[in-house]
Amino acid sequence: MRILIVEDDHLLGEGIQTGLKQEGYAVDWVEDGEAADTALMTNNYELMVLDLGLPKKPGLEVLKDLRAKGNDMPVIILTAMDTVEDRVTGLDSGADDYLTKPFDLGELGARIRALLRRRGGRSNPVIEHNNIKLDPASHSVSKDDEPVDISPREYTILQLLLENRGKVMSRSRLEEGLYAWNNEVESNTVEVHIHHLRKKLGSELIRTIRGVGYIIDKP
Ligand code: CA
């Protein structure tokens, strides 16, 4: 899961980035509105955390332009402006949720999970697929109700495939979920993680579509 943070407060941006990385997300962080536009044009993100008061281009303009292009990714706005009007304007401009500074990192994490869950069309926080369960809150996976030992990167790939059941996910799409810009992508890494996932969860779970990518079929 790749997330974009747009925040010009250095301490806060760094804190959010560190916190979300610990939760297993690939996180890119930019510090002004124009850099946000560039990042959004060049990468696929699952979600954006957007400050409103930004240098070069205000957060609200970034949000409006994103929606005008038809991009419906979930957006959480961060605002220090604790007035009802600011929140209403933000939500009316296409934000899905908001947090007023100062806020708790744990709450941001919970709201991100809720938005990603809604986006996947699920009301149940746990993803169930045949005998496999994946719990985004605890980053845990079980098979036949027995916990499965799984690495953060294997978890990320499994979650992307489960959230997109019935769709073929290309290797580059899975790689994007794994890495932020500052990490180098090793050439065969997705294949290695898929291999481990099949060993742990059953060889029939993930199908290879040759030359295209990988798929978990709808149950
Ligand atoms: Ca700011």
Side-chain angles (χ1 to χ4, degrees):
M1 297 278 144
R2 193 165 180 175
I3 292 179
L4 178 65
I5 300 167
V6 191
E7 170 58 71
D8 62 316
D9 180 316
H10 204 82
L11 265 184
L12 187 57
E14 202 166 75
I16 298 173
Q17 185 179 42
T18 305
L20 294 183
K21 275 186 175 170
Q22 278 167 1
E23 298 226 355
Y25 299 107
V27 184
D28 292 332
W29 166 33
V30 297
E31 298 183 58
D32 67 68
E34 285 176 3
D37 280 348
T38 307
L40 289 165
M41 257 188 292
T42 47
N43 297 283
N44 280 314
Y45 295 99
E46 262 73 41
L47 183 142
M48 172 163 63
V49 178
L50 177 68
D51 183 26
L52 290 185
L54 288 170
K56 295 188 184 171
K57 183 176 176 181
L60 268 185
E61 296 304 311
V62 173
L63 179 60
K64 283 180 189 164
D65 289 352
L66 180 77
R67 295 304 188 221
K69 285 182 195 137
N71 189 323
D72 65 350
M73 75 193 295
V75 175
I76 299 178
I77 51 175
L78 302 178
T79 171
M81 302 173 273
D82 186 20
T83 69
V84 174
E85 297 94 285
D86 286 325
R87 279 177 259 154
V88 170
T89 308
L91 292 169
D92 279 346
S93 303
D96 300 276
D97 202 352
Y98 68 87
L99 274 175
T100 306
K101 296 176 191 175
F103 57 85
D104 179 71
L105 259 185
E107 182 177 1
L108 176 63
R111 286 178 186 237
I112 287 173
R113 287 194 295 276
L115 282 177
L116 294 175
R117 187 162 79 223
R118 235 179 282 159
R119 177 151 184 97
R122 291 177 294 114
S123 51
N124 184 345
V126 176
I127 305 177
E128 293 197 41
H129 182 84
N130 299 331
N131 59 342
I132 290 161
K133 286 183 191 151
L134 178 144
D135 184 353
S138 60
H139 280 257
S140 62
V141 174
S142 66
K143 184 187 178 194
D144 297 319
D145 290 322
E146 293 289 329
V148 175
D149 188 22
I150 197 163
S151 77
R153 284 177 175 174
E154 288 161 15
Y155 173 90
T156 300
I157 287 182
L158 181 64
Q159 184 174 14
L160 271 171
L161 287 167
L162 284 172
E163 298 268 18
N164 294 282
R165 266 174 286 185
K167 287 184 213 157
V168 181
M169 302 292 281
S170 69
R171 194 176 78 176
S172 60
R173 181 73 188 70
L174 294 172
E175 276 169 356
E176 268 186 37
L178 284 182
Y179 298 97
W181 297 322
N182 49 351
N183 297 102
E184 245 180 61
V185 177
E186 301 149 41
S187 60
N188 64 347
T189 184
V190 169
E191 284 88 338
V192 171
H193 295 315
I194 296 270
H195 174 74
H196 289 150
L197 283 168
R198 283 177 173 147
K199 268 174 88 175
K200 292 173 183 180
L201 300 171
S203 56
E204 71 291 350
L205 175 67
I206 301 166
R207 282 200 299 130
T208 302
I209 309 292
R210 293 224 180 275
V212 187
Y214 300 95
I215 185 170
I216 292 182
D217 292 304
K218 289 190 175 169

